[in-house]
Amino acid sequence: KGFLTMAPDISRGKCASDREEAGHLMQGLDFKGAVADIIACALFLKSKGCKKVGIAGFCMGGALTIASICNSTEFDAAGVFYGIPDLNTVSLSNIKCPVSLNFGLEDPMKGFSDADSAKDLSVKMGELGIQVELQLYEAGHAFMNRDSDKFNQAANDEATAKLLEFLGKHL
């Protein structure tokens, strides 16, 4: 789609073969180390001539996206999909880039990715002067994950188009 992309190996070479193993990897993740790796990727891209760097993440990656933009000004746009970190561990006031929040209206994961938490996050960001867009889809958690039973083709297509438009506008 015209973007150079990079995906950091936050699991340090480990790869899950099923959901249970993925859950163990996620629980054992060095969250601060993963954020440092993500920021290092942005710095690397800029050192190679990229003038602007965007970030997008899904589920845990969405939470990592928020944590990364709270800990670095290297990002010029952020797409967050159904994942919010513990807001007691990050400072939203540090965010300097536009943010696109994308969540499912039918997501039951209270405090992490449900629609009410997404709405609250959007309000908090707006009150801090952060340029934020909230998109809510008629879908559940992991609606863009083709391997999930919650995959929703219509929501996936709409969210992909909106993300590409958002990134195109800001990058």
Side-chain angles (χ1 to χ4, degrees):
K1 303 294 181 185
F3 297 101
L4 172 66
T5 61
M6 180 179 226
D9 179 9
I10 61 171
S11 297
R12 308 277 194 247
K14 296 176 186 164
C15 187
S17 58
D18 58 36
R19 285 179 186 243
E20 184 176 341
E21 193 175 349
H24 290 296
L25 284 176
M26 190 167 77
Q27 288 175 343
L29 179 71
D30 172 6
F31 199 83
K32 287 183 181 180
V35 169
D37 288 350
I38 293 165
I39 293 168
C41 287
L43 290 167
F44 174 80
L45 290 170
K46 287 194 172 179
S47 78
K48 295 299 180 188
C50 292
K51 295 196 183 339
K52 293 185 176 186
V53 174
I55 181 172
F58 303 81
C59 189
M60 178 183 65
L64 285 166
T65 294
I66 293 171
S68 296
I69 63 176
C70 286
N71 284 284
S72 175
T73 58
E74 296 299 326
F75 300 99
D76 299 285
V80 176
F81 290 82
Y82 40 82
I84 302 170
D86 177 349
L87 297 180
N88 294 313
T89 65
V90 297
S91 180
L92 297 177
S93 63
N94 291 340
I95 297 173
K96 303 300 180 211
C97 68
V99 180
S100 172
L101 300 173
N102 301 271
F103 289 78
L105 286 166
E106 300 158 18
D107 192 323
M109 299 178 77
K110 295 285 182 208
F112 179 69
S113 56
D114 65 290
D116 287 338
S117 296
K119 290 174 189 174
D120 290 345
L121 177 60
S122 178
V123 168
K124 287 177 186 173
M125 287 182 168
E127 288 172 347
L128 291 169
I130 299 164
Q131 184 179 342
V132 62
E133 299 175 7
L134 174 61
Q135 306 293 329
L136 296 172
Y137 301 91
E138 293 290 337
H141 188 78
F143 64 85
M144 294 185 77
N145 182 348
R146 293 183 187 280
D147 295 329
S148 168
D149 60 349
K150 302 296 183 194
F151 176 69
N152 180 312
Q153 186 71 56
N156 175 76
D157 293 349
E158 183 180 352
T160 298
K162 287 184 178 183
L163 176 64
L164 292 172
E165 179 183 336
F166 175 82
L167 294 176
K169 178 179 173 184
H170 298 288
L171 301 179

